[in-house]
Amino acid sequence: VALDPAQYAADALGRGSKLGTDVYDTFNLVVRRHGRENNFKAVLETIRSLMRGGAMSMYRSIPSWLMPVILGYGGDPAAASFSSPQLTAFAVKTAGVATPDDELDYGDTFIDINHLRESFPGCIVTVDGQDVTSDEQDASPNRKKYRVKVIEQGESKTEVVATSYPFPPRYNGNPIRFTPVQVTAIRSGLSPGLTTIIGPPGTGKTDVAVQIISNLYHSFPTQKTVVVT
C-alpha cells in the first residue's frame, strides 16, 4: 500500500474520506523507506518473472526443494535442509548433487585429530582406518587436512569416517577450534541445500561463513562462488 501523506492529512482533518482515519487502524505494519532504498518492487518483479515460464522459469532457475521456501507458497522450510528426506531424494536422482552421506572435504576446519573427534559427539569416529572414538590422541607435530564421510546407521548410531591428507607447507590455516554445532553448520554449508546461520553477536557466524567459503573454494576451484552482502 502506498500511503499518500497529503491524503492522510486530509483524512485526519475530516476533509478526505468519509471513513476518516479508521482504515489506517487495519494496518498491522507500516514501514517508511526512502525511494532509493525501496527494493520491494524489484523483489516482486523478480518473483513474477521466475513464475512466468520459459528460459527464466522458476522450474529452470530454482531447484524444486527451494521453491516452496523462496516463494513462500507452503511447505516445511526444513525440507530445504541438507539432511531432509526431500533433499536426499533430490540428490539421489540429480547428477552432480552430493547426498548427505557423501564424503566432504573439510580442509583445515579441524585443528587436530582430537578436535575432529570432539566435533562429532556420540559418533563412532575412524581416522585413516583407526578407531579414535574413545581415546585421546597424541598431538601430531604435522597438521593435516581431512575429508569426512558421515554415515547414518539408524537413530542411535552414526559412523564418521575421516581420511587425512597433507597440510600445505608455510600455511597457517584455520586457527579456530570450532564447536560441534559450528561444525554441523559447516557441514550444512558444504552440502546441497539452504544453510541459514543465526546467532547473537560474538557466536562465530562470520568465522563459520568464512570457513564454508574457504572449503568450497578449495574443493571446487573452477566453480564460481557468489557472495552477496
Side-chain angles (χ1 to χ4, degrees), residues 128-191:
D128 294 333
Q130 179 183 359
D131 189 342
V132 299
T133 305
S134 56
D135 298 328
E136 186 82 9
Q137 302 296 309
D138 294 334
S140 172
N142 299 318
R143 188 173 175 180
K144 298 179 180 180
K145 292 187 174 185
Y146 295 94
R147 297 184 181 92
V148 180
K149 184 174 184 178
V150 180
I151 306 172
E152 304 287 348
Q153 297 180 342
E155 296 181 359
S156 59
K157 187 177 181 181
T158 302
E159 183 179 2
V160 176
V161 180
T163 305
S164 65
Y165 63 98
F167 206 83
R170 297 183 296 278
Y171 173 67
N172 293 329
N174 160 54
I176 300 170
R177 202 174 187 89
F178 291 110
T179 66
V181 173
Q182 290 173 324
V183 170
T184 299
I186 293 172
R187 179 189 175 194
S188 176
L190 297 177
S191 304

Side-chain angles (χ1 to χ4, degrees), residues 33 39 54 59 67 99 103 131 155 173-174 200 207:
R33 303 187 67 182
N39 61 353
Y59 298 102
M67 283 191 289
T99 60
E103 186 178 62
D131 189 342
E155 296 181 359
N174 160 54
D207 293 328

Side-chain angles (χ1 to χ4, degrees), residues 17-228:
S17 170
K18 295 180 180 180
L19 298 175
T21 58
D22 291 343
V23 67
Y24 300 101
D25 294 336
T26 63
F27 296 162
N28 292 326
L29 176 65
V30 177
V31 179
R32 180 180 179 181
R33 303 187 67 182
H34 297 292
R36 293 180 180 178
E37 300 173 354
N38 188 7
N39 61 353
F40 188 63
K41 181 180 178 182
V43 172
L44 291 179
E45 289 178 345
T46 299
I47 294 176
R48 182 177 60 185
S49 67
L50 289 173
M51 298 180 68
R52 279 179 177 170
M56 289 299 294
S57 167
M58 64 180 179
Y59 298 102
R60 297 186 62 177
S61 304
I62 303 178
S64 59
W65 53 266
L66 187 57
M67 283 191 289
V69 178
I70 205 75
L71 298 179
Y73 59 74
D76 183 7
S81 169
F82 76 99
S83 58
S84 71
Q86 295 91 329
L87 197 55
T88 299
F90 174 82
V92 168
K93 66 181 181 181
T94 306
V97 178
T99 60
D101 59 353
D102 281 351
E103 186 178 62
L104 298 175
D105 192 343
Y106 284 76
D108 61 353
T109 299
F110 305 108
I111 302 297
D112 51 38
I113 193 171
N114 292 313
H115 181 207
L116 188 155
R117 176 176 56 82
E118 295 162 1
S119 298
F120 298 94
C123 299
I124 300 172
V125 182
T126 303
V127 179
D128 294 333
Q130 179 183 359
D131 189 342
V132 299
T133 305
S134 56
D135 298 328
E136 186 82 9
Q137 302 296 309
D138 294 334
S140 172
N142 299 318
R143 188 173 175 180
K144 298 179 180 180
K145 292 187 174 185
Y146 295 94
R147 297 184 181 92
V148 180
K149 184 174 184 178
V150 180
I151 306 172
E152 304 287 348
Q153 297 180 342
E155 296 181 359
S156 59
K157 187 177 181 181
T158 302
E159 183 179 2
V160 176
V161 180
T163 305
S164 65
Y165 63 98
F167 206 83
R170 297 183 296 278
Y171 173 67
N172 293 329
N174 160 54
I176 300 170
R177 202 174 187 89
F178 291 110
T179 66
V181 173
Q182 290 173 324
V183 170
T184 299
I186 293 172
R187 179 189 175 194
S188 176
L190 297 177
S191 304
L194 178 65
T195 300
T196 304
I197 303 173
I198 302 173
T203 53
K205 300 185 297 297
T206 301
D207 293 328
V208 169
V210 168
Q211 190 64 35
I212 290 173
I213 294 172
S214 173
N215 290 350
L216 287 174
Y217 172 75
H218 289 97
S219 298
F220 309 101
T222 61
Q223 296 188 19
K224 298 183 183 299
T225 301
V226 178
V227 179
V228 182

